[in-house]
Amino acid sequence: MENTGNQPKRFCRKCLLQDMDEGQYFDDMRKYIENLDEELKVSSQLYDRRLAFCRECDHLISGMCRICGCFVEMRAVMKKNNCPGIPKKW
């Protein structure tokens, strides 16, 4: 993210994960999730249940789903998304 003086921080659209500090991209992802339109997100209880399934899944590695390659926290927060596994866990 970029911060110029008193202007609010913006998400960098041209940075690759390899170019960013590891902590920064996880912070950026959490901020992105927090700022999503509430109508797009599942409830916090459902989000927690989805993540609980992901935590128990053999396909989870370092926060990523090995089936689809997504960050599970990003996938789980969106109403339109579901588990990519067969069978689906959520």
Side-chain angles (χ1 to χ4, degrees):
M1 289 191 6
E2 156 186 332
N3 189 357
T4 55
N6 293 331
Q7 295 178 349
K9 291 183 178 184
R10 296 182 299 136
F11 292 98
C12 181
R13 296 175 188 247
K14 297 188 181 199
C15 294
L16 298 173
L17 293 179
Q18 67 184 2
D19 299 333
M20 299 172 66
D21 173 81
E22 183 175 316
Q24 179 187 352
Y25 65 76
F26 287 119
D27 287 345
D28 288 351
M29 180 174 56
R30 287 184 190 101
K31 288 176 188 172
Y32 179 82
I33 290 170
E34 288 173 14
N35 290 308
L36 284 169
D37 186 336
E38 292 298 319
E39 292 191 14
L40 300 174
K41 298 189 313 188
V42 296
S43 69
S44 60
Q45 294 84 7
L46 181 54
Y47 182 58
D48 290 342
R49 281 196 306 260
R50 287 179 170 191
L51 292 180
F53 279 111
C54 292
R55 282 186 187 98
E56 297 299 319
C57 183
D58 292 336
H59 298 291
L60 178 67
I61 186 164
S62 299
M64 294 181 72
C65 174
R66 292 187 308 173
I67 296 171
C68 69
C70 73
F71 284 106
V72 297
E73 292 170 74
M74 294 288 290
R75 185 178 202 75
V77 76
M78 301 296 289
K79 286 180 181 178
K80 67 177 182 139
N81 292 343
N82 55 39
C83 171
I86 299 172
K88 295 180 184 333
K89 296 183 180 192
W90 48 265

